[in-house]
Amino acid sequence: MVDILHKVGITTLEGLCGWWTTDTQGEAGKVGGVIQFRFGAGGIDMKVLELDPAKRVLWQVVDGPQEWIGTKVGFDLKQEGDWTIILFKHQGWKEPVEFMHHCSTKWAVFLLSLKSLLETGKGAAAPNEIKLDSWE
Amino acid sequence: MVDILHKVGITTLEGLCGWWTTDTQGEAGKVGGVIQFRFGAGGIDMKVLELDPAKRVLWQVVDGPQEWIGTKVGFDLKQEGDWTIILFKHQGWKEPVEFMHHCSTKWAVFLLSLKSLLETGKGAAAPNEIKLDSWE
């Protein structure tokens, strides 16, 4: 198993539509809820496994790209002075395939979007995020 | 061992000063050469292990942050239609420490700087890159 890791510092965690994809629906606010993230025709469904506001959010992929099924996406938050730090992990990839490279850089783009949303009020959620390569 | 992975698509690979840090010196152009990357007071020295223009560059960290010593930084390039794809790896971290999370997101920022440099002529090398958290 191999994992994507990232770290950014921001001030709070809210508003999924504003930083990842504008087409987000479902029950993000309770354990066991399923969130539907859509990107054009495709999408990802995540089940909420853990939810401890201002501390930890853990989701598991229940539908989406084959390589993502069963993987877990986690956000650990902590306060350091004026900063809230997010330690992000997308864990449990079976192999370090090219798609994992793509998703790693893309997560960084979306986490910078989240940082911007919370610091300035304006994120860059899909379909308005930075495009990386020929796959988009 | 754990590895940072990233992927971006660009059009060529050159000009280290323009995308990572403006204070770059040394011998990047031959195997065995050592490149000195400086960021304010600190810095990283990398030895060139492999150099196959338009295909592959592999460096090894010979001086710098303790967690980086001995790790390898690699760029694999390939052509896909109008795109050059870079598969980036920073391999051989002993543990997935918080500093690895930081460096992963930071590499994404610098790879987006590289992409911008080559596509628009203007990158965002240190000290002018996006700042992530309280460590900078």
Side-chain angles (χ1 to χ4, degrees):
Chain A
M1 295 287 186
V2 281
D3 309 327
I4 290 170
L5 314 178
H6 285 297
K7 172 182 171 179
V8 289
I10 54 160
T11 54
T12 180
L13 179 64
E14 63 179 346
L16 295 170
C17 293
W19 69 272
W20 195 19
T21 177
T22 53
D23 188 356
T24 301
Q25 296 181 38
E27 290 189 300
K30 67 170 199 181
V31 171
V34 174
I35 320 167
Q36 290 92 29
F37 300 97
R38 292 292 171 271
F39 301 82
I44 296 153
D45 289 0
M46 302 267 210
K47 188 175 180 180
V48 180
L49 295 189
E50 295 180 38
L51 185 63
D52 188 352
K55 275 204 169 173
R56 180 171 168 81
V57 177
L58 184 66
W59 299 328
Q60 185 161 34
V61 179
V62 292
D63 201 2
Q66 179 253 325
E67 296 91 336
W68 280 46
I69 306 281
T71 61
K72 293 180 185 174
V73 173
F75 306 79
D76 283 294
L77 286 77
K78 61 178 177 177
Q79 199 69 26
E80 287 187 355
D82 289 341
W83 293 81
T84 296
I85 298 299
I86 294 186
L87 296 180
F88 170 90
K89 295 186 180 72
H90 183 181
Q91 299 179 289
W93 289 71
K94 290 198 181 72
E95 300 289 340
V97 291
E98 181 168 337
F99 186 46
M100 184 177 168
H101 292 72
H102 170 88
C103 293
S104 177
T105 317
K106 202 75 193 181
W107 276 124
V109 165
F110 285 121
L111 289 169
L112 292 172
S113 164
L114 172 60
K115 179 173 167 65
S116 172
L117 173 67
L118 296 169
E119 291 181 344
T120 73
K122 193 168 159 48
N128 302 312
E129 87 286 17
I130 297 170
K131 300 300 189 287
L132 293 181
D133 56 44
S134 55
W135 287 0
E136 25 188 27
Chain B
M1 296 287 186
V2 281
D3 309 328
I4 291 170
L5 314 178
H6 285 297
K7 173 182 172 178
V8 290
I10 54 161
T11 53
T12 178
L13 179 64
E14 62 179 345
L16 293 171
C17 294
W19 69 272
W20 197 18
T21 177
T22 52
D23 188 356
T24 301
Q25 296 182 38
E27 291 189 299
K30 66 170 197 181
V31 171
V34 174
I35 321 167
Q36 291 92 31
F37 300 97
R38 292 292 171 270
F39 301 83
I44 296 153
D45 290 0
M46 301 266 209
K47 187 174 180 180
V48 180
L49 295 188
E50 295 179 38
L51 185 63
D52 187 352
K55 275 204 169 171
R56 181 173 167 80
V57 177
L58 184 66
W59 299 328
Q60 185 162 34
V61 178
V62 293
D63 200 3
Q66 179 253 323
E67 296 91 336
W68 280 47
I69 305 282
T71 61
K72 293 180 185 173
V73 172
F75 306 78
D76 284 294
L77 285 77
K78 61 178 178 177
Q79 200 69 27
E80 285 187 357
D82 290 340
W83 294 80
T84 296
I85 298 299
I86 294 187
L87 298 179
F88 171 90
K89 295 185 178 74
H90 182 181
Q91 299 179 288
W93 289 72
K94 289 195 182 73
E95 300 289 341
V97 291
E98 182 169 335
F99 186 45
M100 183 177 167
H101 291 72
H102 170 88
C103 293
S104 177
T105 317
K106 202 75 192 182
W107 274 124
V109 165
F110 286 122
L111 289 168
L112 291 172
S113 162
L114 172 60
K115 180 173 166 66
S116 172
L117 173 67
L118 295 168
E119 291 181 344
T120 73
K122 192 167 159 52
N128 302 313
E129 88 285 18
I130 298 170
K131 301 300 188 287
L132 293 181
D133 56 43
S134 55
W135 288 1
E136 29 188 23

